[in-house]
Amino acid sequence: MQEQWIYLSDGCKLFVKLHGGSPEAPLIIAQHGAPGASDHTESETSYAFLQDRFRVLVFDARGSGKSDVAGPFTRQRWVADIEELRQWVGAETFILGGGSHGGIVALEYALAHGNRLQGLIVRGSFANGPLMLKNVLDMALSSGKVDAERQRRLWTGKTLDNADYGHALSEVGFLFSADPNSEFKVAGPSSEEAPQLHHETFNEAFGKDLPAFDVTKRLHDINVSTLVAVGALDRVCPLEASQVISKSIANASLVSFGKSGHSPPEDQPDEWKACLSDFVDSLVQ
């Protein structure tokens, strides 16, 4: 496993891990979700097991984890970052995976650079930002378990600071889990490190950028083989949202994990690994 810092063309420094040894092995790049809260370890949980036959690149996206908190925190900039990472590795084509907000970025990359993709994996995501924001805020407010004003700040990109951001995320843990009584794990670092929160990243991404996202009518332009995966118990990005994506992409297959919430790789790891292995192996045979 290769671990290092990569400097992008605009000077932003990203923390990157490249799993797998052979430079001839096919490449997978994974974009994590929850900008400003999650990090590369989310992607490691989902994809690193494939390193025996793939190169797997995971990273802290700009504004998340250890990477520089250097904007803009927009879909277009995160797409450009993935393209620069592809060029850094030296792969002509690769497989791209993304979950939740990472799935949104993955869809945008597929529309902008589809000729670079061998395959696409979209887990628990939406093709329409306003619908996603409305759904999660409605779910939070209707639960009666949250501070309404804090949740409105969260989902409109107006959190006050990292403490406010972390508190707001923790309140809605039940939405992310298959178990409605569980607590939300804010980020992915190991237990030896405190989660790194960057509220300014989330504020811009969810308050300014996501409300302008809607690729529903453009999904038919994605021609690459696509796996659309979703937890049947996901309340943040429900099955219906994944059905819209899968039905609109000609070469897409939909897999629903019956005992999973927002994260099938954590809720049903064996089933996730089997499903993902079958899909990516089919792309390189």
Side-chain angles (χ1 to χ4, degrees):
M1 186 270 291
Q2 179 182 351
E3 177 181 308
Q4 68 182 84
W5 297 94
I6 301 298
Y7 286 87
L8 300 178
S9 59
D10 67 346
C12 180
K13 184 174 66 174
L14 298 187
F15 180 75
V16 171
K17 287 185 178 181
L18 183 59
H19 295 269
S22 172
E24 289 79 32
L27 175 68
I28 297 173
I29 298 179
Q31 172 92 19
H32 64 76
S38 190
D39 68 359
H40 71 277
T41 58
E42 175 200 308
S43 301
E44 281 184 320
T45 299
S46 299
Y47 296 95
F49 74 94
L50 295 166
Q51 63 185 294
D52 63 326
R53 56 198 189 276
F54 291 85
R55 289 175 294 166
V56 180
L57 189 152
V58 300
F59 63 104
D60 294 349
R62 70 168 62 221
S64 296
K66 299 177 182 178
S67 292
D68 284 350
V69 184
F73 306 119
T74 63
R75 289 164 284 123
Q76 288 76 17
R77 183 63 253 186
W78 280 309
V79 165
D81 293 350
I82 293 173
E83 177 60 9
E84 289 197 39
L85 289 172
R86 179 197 65 79
Q87 295 173 16
W88 171 75
V89 176
E92 288 297 314
T93 59
F94 70 103
I95 300 166
L96 176 61
S100 195
H101 186 272
I104 286 170
V105 176
L107 288 172
E108 288 280 22
Y109 184 94
L111 288 166
H113 304 285
N115 62 314
R116 294 296 184 184
L117 292 179
Q118 291 174 277
L120 178 67
I121 302 152
V122 180
R123 175 189 58 76
S125 198
F126 263 89
N128 182 301
L131 288 181
M132 178 180 180
L133 292 167
K134 182 179 186 304
N135 174 70
V136 69
L137 181 57
D138 286 350
M139 292 290 290
L141 296 181
S142 65
S143 72
K145 300 178 180 180
V146 302
D147 181 293
E149 289 307 311
R150 185 181 292 116
Q151 289 303 310
R152 290 192 180 96
R153 288 198 300 273
L154 176 64
W155 301 111
T156 58
K158 297 176 182 177
T159 58
L160 306 176
D161 50 30
N162 287 341
D164 189 44
Y165 179 35
H167 196 165
L169 286 176
S170 296
E171 279 188 339
V172 290
F174 62 96
L175 294 181
F176 291 81
S177 175
D179 176 5
N181 297 313
S182 68
E183 295 183 1
F184 183 48
K185 292 182 286 187
V186 172
S190 70
S191 59
E192 297 177 357
E193 300 179 10
Q196 299 186 56
L197 297 178
H198 305 292
H199 76 287
E200 57 268 61
T201 305
F202 191 91
N203 279 357
E204 182 174 345
F206 277 67
K208 297 179 180 179
D209 189 62
L210 197 53
F213 169 71
D214 184 1
V215 296
T216 308
K217 295 181 179 180
R218 299 175 59 207
L219 291 173
H220 66 273
D221 291 329
I222 297 176
N223 298 312
V224 67
S225 294
T226 302
L227 171 64
V228 182
V230 62
L233 305 178
D234 190 347
R235 281 156 288 193
V236 176
C237 298
L239 175 61
E240 293 77 10
S242 288
Q243 289 173 330
V244 169
I245 297 172
S246 65
K247 289 178 180 178
S248 301
I249 298 175
N251 198 12
S253 58
L254 174 66
V255 177
S256 175
F257 293 82
K259 298 179 181 179
S260 292
H262 195 51
S263 181
E266 293 186 355
D267 294 335
Q268 293 181 256
D270 293 339
E271 292 87 346
W272 167 261
K273 289 178 181 179
C275 174
L276 188 62
S277 292
D278 287 346
F279 177 71
V280 296
D281 287 343
S282 74
L283 300 175
V284 297
Q285 290 176 350

